Amino acid sequence: MGADRVGVSPELSAAPRAWLVATVLVTVGALVSAVAMAPSSSASPGRSLGWLLFVGSSVHVAGTGWLYTLPDVRAHARAHATRYVYAPIALVTVAAFVAAALPASGFAWLLLPYFAWQFLHFQKQNLGMAALAASSRGIAGLRPAERRALTVSGLAGIAALLARPGVLQLQIDPGLGRLWAIALAVFGCAVIAGVCLIGSRPRHDRPPGFCIVYLSSLCFALPVFAFRSPYAAVGGMTIAHGFQYLLLVGLVAAGGPRGTRRVLRLAALCNVALIGGLALNVASHLHSGRAPARFVFGAYLGVVMAHFVIDAGLWRLRDPFPRRFLSTHVPYLVKPSQPRVRKFG
């Protein structure tokens, strides 16, 4: 890889490999653990799975707030206030009032497109993980066909969720049951195409670490087709997505000069993510209460959607600021001289 070339420090040479290994472990480990620990469809998750879901969902969303403690992120947000300030405020406000005004049964229909957006957010991050895996290894970036295979596999998973909203614990029937078989066929074709495309790369452009990250991203939605239990079908995807994100944000916090400032950044990240995650976790269980409780639940949904919007811009690596931001904090993953990399988040 590029970091093995003359003039690159051993630390920077080892760092990309460490990130790749950690990313593979949290991704595969999350998917397997969720299936192994998933209860029956009518039961609540056990304590271990509950904690994993807490970190992979609420804590990872709250971790986005820590990014606003960084001076360069705040400056970028002020320069693009519509996306990073006004849109999040509007999403939280509108979602809170809508949730309070609608009965719980009616609000469930609005949750279906919300979950579709959430899993589209997952798919975009998977694209970014694969792109960063290529970038960190100093190999050719994702080709258009390889990106399309990842995109189609993710969209097929979303279609399957819309066809069977029961795996999202939504007791509604949108009448899309026949879509599931079509989604399965499309998903299978996308996976086969992706495997063939990776296999067609020159040997030096398909190192094992990159291939594993790409293939795990390609098959990310497989549990949706394999299981009917909500926790087995989507729990692992949620946990894997959140842990991938926290790993990268943690590396950003640990970047820069060593010493007290690094310790303070990591401590601030942990506090913001944990305290904010606890608040979000409490709010996420208020969907069946009275109007004031549903107002808080709606605000929770608004915060999560704001996270989608913020990340879609802040981690758009084809834009100058995100590339400069990551190349400053994690230069072993993104280098300013490299060609455009697809966005994630």
Side-chain angles (χ1 to χ4, degrees):
M1 62 175 274
D4 294 329
R5 298 167 189 156
V6 177
V8 178
S9 70
E11 180 181 0
L12 287 182
S13 177
R17 291 188 177 91
W19 172 79
L20 276 172
V21 170
T23 297
V24 170
L25 288 177
V26 300
T27 303
V28 177
L31 296 171
V32 172
S33 297
V35 172
M37 294 188 287
S40 63
S41 58
S42 60
S44 299
R47 180 174 298 179
S48 298
L49 181 56
W51 272 104
L52 288 175
L53 287 167
F54 166 66
V55 175
S57 56
S58 298
V59 171
H60 115 265
V61 171
T64 301
W66 171 80
L67 293 169
Y68 281 79
T69 68
L70 302 177
D72 46 354
V73 171
R74 291 200 304 274
H76 181 68
R78 285 194 297 269
H80 303 83
T82 299
R83 174 184 286 274
Y84 298 105
V85 180
Y86 303 133
I89 292 173
L91 284 168
V92 173
T93 304
V94 171
F97 280 103
V98 170
L102 290 178
S105 58
F107 194 68
W109 286 96
L110 294 181
L111 287 177
L112 196 59
Y114 161 81
F115 280 120
W117 190 4
Q118 180 181 32
F119 286 93
L120 180 63
H121 173 72
F122 288 7
Q123 181 269 329
K124 289 182 178 180
Q125 179 165 300
N126 287 335
L127 266 175
M129 290 295 103
L132 283 178
S135 174
S136 69
R137 298 298 291 167
I139 63 175
L142 294 180
R143 296 174 293 181
E146 292 166 349
R147 292 196 296 269
R148 282 194 293 270
L150 285 176
T151 299
V152 171
S153 69
L155 293 177
I158 295 171
L161 290 171
L162 296 178
R164 291 182 175 176
V167 297
L168 298 169
Q169 297 181 312
L170 297 178
Q171 305 306 314
I172 58 176
D173 182 10
L176 299 173
R178 294 182 179 179
L179 181 60
W180 190 88
I182 298 173
L184 176 60
V186 172
F187 177 78
C189 291
V191 170
I192 293 172
V195 171
C196 293
L197 288 166
I198 290 299
S200 69
R201 279 178 166 242
R203 184 176 295 274
H204 64 273
D205 267 343
R206 46 183 170 93
F210 163 74
C211 290
I212 294 173
V213 172
Y214 182 87
L215 294 176
S216 64
S217 298
L218 186 68
C219 299
F220 197 75
L222 179 61
V224 174
F225 298 97
F227 304 101
R228 284 185 174 270
S229 164
Y231 295 101
V234 301
M237 297 164 64
T238 301
I239 296 167
H241 170 83
F243 274 70
Q244 289 173 354
Y245 184 85
L246 288 171
L247 173 62
L248 187 58
V249 174
L251 291 177
V252 170
R258 295 179 178 179
T260 304
R261 294 185 63 184
R262 174 182 290 185
V263 173
L264 290 175
R265 285 197 303 272
L266 287 169
L269 171 60
C270 290
N271 278 279
V272 170
L274 287 174
I275 296 172
L278 286 170
L280 291 174
N281 186 62
V282 171
S284 70
H285 293 89
L286 300 178
H287 51 86
S288 59
R290 295 180 179 272
R294 296 202 306 274
F295 182 90
V296 177
F297 174 71
Y300 154 76
L301 293 179
V303 169
V304 178
M305 290 186 288
H307 161 75
F308 299 162
V309 171
I310 292 166
D311 279 7
L314 199 58
W315 302 101
R316 198 191 330 256
L317 301 180
R318 63 178 179 233
D319 293 343
F321 171 78
R323 292 190 62 78
R324 185 170 66 251
F325 173 70
L326 276 182
S327 65
T328 297
H329 294 278
V330 281
Y332 45 88
L333 296 184
V334 177
K335 303 173 179 64
S337 60
Q338 291 181 332
R340 186 179 75 181
V341 180
R342 294 286 290 182
K343 71 177 181 180
F344 83 91

